[in-house]
Each structure stands twice: as structure tokens, then as C-alpha cells.
Amino acid sequence: EEGEGGGGGGGERAGACTERLSAPALVVLTAGAGHLDVLAVTADDVEELSGFLSSVGMPSWVGASLGSQGLRLPLLQSLPMLQIVAAAKRAGLALGLRERLKHAVRCTFGVPLAPPTLPRSPPAAERARRRVFALPRPVSMVVLLSPGLPCRLEPSLSAAAVCWRRAGDVVVAVATCEGWLELLAGGGGGGRPGG
């Protein structure tokens, strides 16, 4: 009796191996350009990502969690923000940590300039290489140019001025794009002044 069953437990395992799965398992072997590839992340990638994240004040374990989702430091520069946030969510980062990650990416690597809102905007190829960098925290500035400074809808001299800030006015800058400042709507008229 013992020789046939192989000790009792072997018969159950052998029976389990012969069962058919109801659905085939799909495994992605390679990731296309701009996609997250979990298998391509090395220990050096995780260490580099952790170093960046710790330099912006995030906990040390976040780098390993994001690395387990296929994120590497070079991808933070090239992936759309929605993909970065989705990977952070899959990694189990709380909302506050995801917001801190978004802010760190915007401050360090910038985000592409938004689509044009005016008919005389620069060509799409020029806009694609322009990036908007968020400031780590809003910065109050005093307008020194006399008699005033025009606030524009876009970072371009050809954009229409939507308002003016007089010399002595205090504005609050929240981002920069190639020498232009983006102002906080309440403190700066809602435009981007040239400067």
C-alpha cells in the first residue's frame, strides 16, 4: 500500500499537476519604449532612484517600492506624469507620498509645456522641447521694472498681455520656463510675466 501511493501525499500532488488551468497565463517578455519593465530594473537602478528620492526628503523604502514597479530614475524624466503616478499607486504609496513624488519630478525634471492656447503660439516642435519647472515652494517677488510689467498667457513675447503689474507690486512665482515665471493666480494676475 505504501509503495503505490508514495507515502500518501505524493498522490495528491501528482493529481494537482495534471489539472488544467482555466485561463492561460500571459507574461510580457519585453517592454516597448516608454513602458515600465520590471525585469530591467537592477539593484544599481534602485539605489540611484532611492538616492534621488532621499535627496528630496522621501522615505528610504520608496525607491525599492517604485523599482519593483519598473520605475528607474531616467524614466522619471521621460514618462508622462500619469504613468509615474499610476506606478506609485500600484507600489502602494499613500496619496501624500504620490503628491511629494509629483512635486519632486516637476521641480527637478520639469514637465512639457502645455498645448498652445493662442493661435500665434510657437510651433509644436519648439513647444515639445520647452519644459516648465515647478519651484520647490512659491516665491514672493517685487516688480522693479518701471512703469510696469505685462503678464502674458504664455511664455512668449507674441502672447497678448492680460494684465500689468506696476513697480512695487508683489507677485508670487510658482514655476519657471526658459526665463519666464508662472505667477500664482491670486497674487500675480494669473499670467506669466516676462523677465
Side-chain angles (χ1 to χ4, degrees), residues 108-147:
T108 307
F109 307 118
V111 293
L113 188 61
T117 57
L118 301 174
R120 297 182 300 167
S121 294
E126 182 183 334
R127 293 183 69 80
R129 62 180 170 79
R130 297 175 78 181
R131 298 185 72 78
V132 177
F133 292 86
L135 298 174
R137 50 185 107 3
V139 178
S140 296
M141 298 180 174
V142 177
V143 176
L144 299 177
L145 186 65
S146 179

Side-chain angles (χ1 to χ4, degrees), residues 23-195:
L26 299 176
V27 177
V28 178
L29 297 178
T30 61
H35 290 75
L36 300 177
D37 184 2
V38 177
L39 300 175
V41 177
T42 65
D44 290 339
D45 291 330
V46 171
E47 186 177 327
E48 181 183 32
L49 182 61
S50 296
F52 165 72
L53 294 172
S54 66
S55 74
V56 295
M58 298 199 61
S60 58
W61 59 268
V62 174
S65 295
L66 293 175
S68 72
Q69 296 301 314
L71 269 179
R72 296 176 288 133
L73 190 59
L75 290 177
L76 291 181
Q77 299 173 17
S78 61
L79 285 177
M81 189 62 71
L82 289 175
Q83 276 189 289
I84 294 171
V85 172
K89 193 171 186 177
R90 285 192 309 272
L93 268 63
L95 178 62
L97 286 175
R98 291 193 308 261
E99 289 299 316
R100 286 170 60 191
L101 176 64
K102 282 179 12 183
H103 186 69
V105 169
R106 286 183 179 135
C107 290
T108 307
F109 307 118
V111 293
L113 188 61
T117 57
L118 301 174
R120 297 182 300 167
S121 294
E126 182 183 334
R127 293 183 69 80
R129 62 180 170 79
R130 297 175 78 181
R131 298 185 72 78
V132 177
F133 292 86
L135 298 174
R137 50 185 107 3
V139 178
S140 296
M141 298 180 174
V142 177
V143 176
L144 299 177
L145 186 65
S146 179
L149 191 64
C151 294
R152 302 183 186 275
L153 284 177
E154 293 187 349
S156 170
L157 290 174
S158 63
V162 292
C163 68
W164 285 81
R165 293 289 141 200
R166 295 175 302 188
D169 285 353
V170 176
V171 296
V172 180
V174 293
T176 181
C177 178
E178 295 182 359
W180 293 78
L181 295 175
E182 181 176 348
L183 302 180
L184 191 62
R192 291 182 173 110

